[in-house]
Amino acid sequence: MEHRNLPLTRRTCLGAALAAVAGALPLAVHAQSGTVKFILPNATGSGVDAITRSAAPALGRALNASVVVENQPGAGGVLGLQSLARSAPDGNTLSVVSNNVVIFPSVLKSLPFDMPGDFTPIAVVGSTPMVLVVNPTKVPATNSREFIALLKSKPGTFNFASGGNGTILHLATELYLEAAGATAKHIPYKGVGPMVTDLIGGQVDFGTVALPSVQQHIKSGALRVLGVLAPQRTPAAADVPTMAEQGLPNFSVEAWFAVIGPKGMSAAAVKKAHDAVVAAFNDPVVKETMAKQGNTINIGTPEQAQAAFRSELAKYAALVKKVGLEPQ
């Protein structure tokens, strides 16, 4: 939805309040020079969604603009990326993305864009821990060792959820099963939100998710966490051991997140966006929120982001081949 640049009158504030009720309120409203839209190729409830919405007010201040977050999770995220690729390269349309963007070329037979050729990497911002969670009613295991033993004792009995075919959540679980020497049936969902809902409801047994998207459900007991996939424990869940600590030496899969724009952004537009990312993720409130979510912030340059995307493409192509995922 487009928003006109109106002065902050009582009428404007009332309009903003009504928009909030409708779910369309920009996430930063102040005296601004325009609107910057962040297209997320992820559903609400995902780790990237939580990160972006937490940083949105600070991004709005840094950009001197009203920030609108728009979720476009169709086709596992491909539709959102296609929308971004077709946007004007003026810096007014950006995205926060995960590893998914460099996995898609290896798991999908055709894409309506070139990755990374049709995009402008702005910065790899940081990483977020992924955890393996189970439905506590359907899965009696309380740690990864017990769970692997259970999977092996009942091959083909359990199923796992993901946010979609070829996503980092899908690939991470396949890598876990490969390392464990176990099997399970994959049930892809159209986003993390419905995936987590069915995990809690018991329609699926287990899955890998970003910690920020399930923290509240772990604390409530609706889901049981068996381990973190990161190389080290995360301060946000310090009592949860890594998979390497539980009999899978050297096993780790990290999720990272980055800011990108469409192809053809000018050097000035890239600098403005990068400066805003640096300012927003160094904001004290945002830093505290990121720490609580378990995210590690380590912002690189646009040049480093470009190199990282190309190296990650090769890395995940090898991992996809390792677990035998066939392009669809």
Side-chain angles (χ1 to χ4, degrees), residues 47 49-58 61 127-129 211-212 215 219 234 236 257 280-297:
D49 181 70
I51 289 165
T52 308
R53 292 183 183 277
S54 296
R61 291 190 294 272
S127 61
T128 189
L211 178 61
Q215 277 178 314
K219 290 178 180 177
T234 172
F257 54 100
F281 282 92
N282 279 292
D283 178 272
V285 174
V286 175
K287 288 178 72 173
E288 182 180 0
T289 301
M290 292 298 107
K292 288 180 178 179
Q293 292 179 353
N295 303 314
T296 300
I297 305 302

Side-chain angles (χ1 to χ4, degrees), residues 129-133 169 192 195-196 199 207-211 213-214 223:
M130 291 190 292
V131 292
L132 184 73
V133 295
L169 304 185
V192 175
M195 165 194 171
V196 172
L199 270 170
T208 300
V209 285
L211 178 61
S213 63
V214 290
L223 293 173

